[in-house]
Every structure is written in structure tokens, then in C-alpha cells.
Amino acid sequence: MSISRAATGGMLLCRAEPLAVRPPAHLLRVRLLLAPAGGWSVLVPEDKPWRDGPETVAQVLTGWGSALATGTTWPVLSLWWESGRAGFALAGGFRRSVVHTWDAAGGPSGEPDAMRSLSARLGLDPVLDLEELERLTRADPDPAVDGEARLLALVALLTRAGLALPPGLAPGESADRLRAAARVAPGVEPLEWSGWRDAVRAEFDAAERGPLGPWVRGPRARLLGAAQVAAGAPLLAWAAHRRSPGWATAGAVLLAQGTATLAYDRARARR
């Protein structure tokens, strides 16, 4: 692949299916394209906030990745490149982000243990894969091995962890070409901030489709809600009679949870 040294762009790689990525991605309040990438998901920006804003492409993508990973159980890898320079930032939950960059000549700059942390958090082979990752942090006399070439090698190595980017999505491409390729990727969907109501609804949809879905809405949810109300109401009455604040709190919580579960099931059924 020929790489233009004038190209500027970036993407976010999430170690999760699009169904899990969609709700937190909505909360970024930016226009994105979300597509499946093997066992991963890829997010490509529709706009170029780094062009007219005060932040560089590295700062923008790193900030998005950190915000997206907060409160999730899966890691987010932010990739960026500009004029031959390139880098990545790995974020995951409330853990410290790991950052590594390469200059236009391929010279590495970053935390000494960046590749070791990357290998461990992504579940790569601690021997063979780590050896190849650490090779990317060493200087190379070949002038063709610039920062973007190093990033391409990193993405190629991640295929061993299940990453399969759609055609046309690769480090080194311009933001316009990335956007064009993402729009025709299989399973792609546009994400655009449309208010808190739609964001909350997206969270509910994700919960209902997840493993706990039957306990959130449906016959099991109604049975659970009814059982909580049936247990909470008499417990609350008994605690009030005995003047027991602890049991009163337990009864109130059960009653509130059961009532909320039944109300939610009814409201979603109407919608």
C-alpha cells in the first residue's frame, strides 16, 4: 500500500461488538460511522474537528478513546497519523492510558512498557506477539519505515486478536478516504447525537438485547417485579410496625425496584 505523507486521519478500534459500542459512542456527541471489524468494532469520524479546532488529531482521537472507554469493560485503541507521524493510545475503564508515537522517520517515542501493556490488555501472545510489538519500538535505518508504516504493522499484528478491518480502512489514508470507505462497509451505521432521550433509549435497547435482557423486559421481568413487590410491601409494613429502620429500607428498596421493573416493562411494551 502506498501511503501519502500528507494524509491526516484517525480511527477508534473497540474490542467489542457494535451493539455494545453504540450506546457509549452516542454519548461522545460527535458524528461517527460505526462498523463491525471481526470481533472488534471500528469508529471513523465523519468530521475533522482537528482542522479548525485548537486540538491536534492526536489529542482529539485520544480524548475520544478515553471518554469512550470510561465505564466499559473493553479496551479502546485510538489510532492517528499526520504527515508521516503516527501513534496510538490504549484506554480501558479507569485504568491509566498507554500512549506511544513515532515521528516521520519512524523514531519511537513513548512509555517504555507501552507494548507490554498493549499485549497484556489485548490478550496477545506474551512471547511471539510481544517480541514483534517491541520490534516496532526500535529505530530502523530504512527511510521507508516511517510512523505510518509502523502503525500499519501494528494493525496487521492485531489480526491475531480477531481484528478484521473493512476494505479501505487502514492507517495512512486521508480522513476523506476513510469516511468514504466506512460508508460502504458491511454493517455500517451512522451515529449522531440526537439528544439525551435517544441516548438513554439506546442504553435501554442495548440492555434488553444483552444477556440480562429477559430480566429487564418480558415475562421473566414481570415475574421478578411482581415477586419484589410481593416481598417488599409486607416487609415494609412489618418493619414499620416493629420500628426497624434497616428492614424498612430493605422493604422500600424491594418495593421500588419491583414497581420500577413493572412500570418499565409496561412502558416499553406500549412503545
Side-chain angles (χ1 to χ4, degrees):
M1 176 186 294
S2 61
I3 298 177
S4 170
R5 289 182 176 271
T8 298
M11 66 178 75
L12 299 171
L13 304 180
C14 306
R15 190 76 183 272
E17 299 290 340
L19 180 63
V21 175
R22 187 188 305 120
H26 267 294
L27 299 180
L28 292 179
R29 304 178 68 172
V30 294
R31 298 173 61 215
L32 299 164
L33 294 168
L34 170 64
W40 297 56
S41 297
V42 56
L43 287 162
V44 175
E46 288 234 58
D47 301 318
K48 306 172 188 176
W50 54 83
R51 185 175 57 184
D52 302 318
E55 296 183 313
T56 65
V57 60
Q59 292 172 324
V60 170
L61 269 294
T62 300
W64 287 354
S66 297
L68 187 61
T70 300
T72 66
T73 58
W74 31 266
V76 179
L77 190 63
S78 307
L79 307 181
W80 61 269
W81 52 93
E82 182 178 20
S83 301
R85 299 175 60 251
F88 72 82
L90 178 66
F94 294 99
R95 303 174 69 178
R96 183 177 61 85
S97 296
V98 177
V99 180
H100 193 84
T101 62
W102 294 274
D103 60 25
S109 175
E111 303 174 30
D113 62 342
M115 293 305 183
R116 189 172 298 275
S117 297
L118 180 72
S119 175
R121 294 190 192 183
L122 297 184
L124 300 175
D125 189 288
V127 179
L128 299 179
D129 292 342
L130 180 58
E131 182 179 351
E132 292 193 33
L133 286 172
E134 291 183 334
R135 190 177 298 125
L136 297 177
T137 66
R138 305 184 191 120
D140 195 312
D142 187 351
V145 185
D146 60 2
E148 293 170 353
R150 303 266 188 166
L151 207 55
L152 278 170
L154 171 62
V155 170
L157 194 148
L158 291 180
T159 59
R160 301 178 185 176
L163 177 66
L165 287 172
L169 294 184
E173 298 289 357
S174 68
D176 292 333
R177 294 187 65 177
L178 282 177
R179 182 173 62 247
R183 284 176 175 171
V184 297
V188 67
E189 59 178 300
L191 300 180
E192 185 172 0
W193 175 256
S194 54
W196 285 106
R197 180 177 296 179
D198 287 343
V200 173
R201 183 178 294 123
E203 287 278 7
F204 286 153
D205 289 338
E208 290 178 9
R209 295 172 186 169
L212 296 179
W215 300 103
V216 175
R217 178 186 172 193
R220 291 186 185 178
R222 290 192 291 272
L223 181 62
L224 175 62
Q228 289 174 321
V229 171
L235 179 59
L236 184 60
W238 177 85
H241 178 71
R242 292 295 186 94
R243 296 180 180 179
S244 174
W247 286 110
T249 299
V253 169
L254 278 173
L255 185 60
Q257 288 181 336
T259 302
T261 299
L262 294 174
Y264 174 79
D265 180 80
R266 180 175 300 178
R268 294 290 280 179
R270 288 176 179 173
R271 189 179 74 85

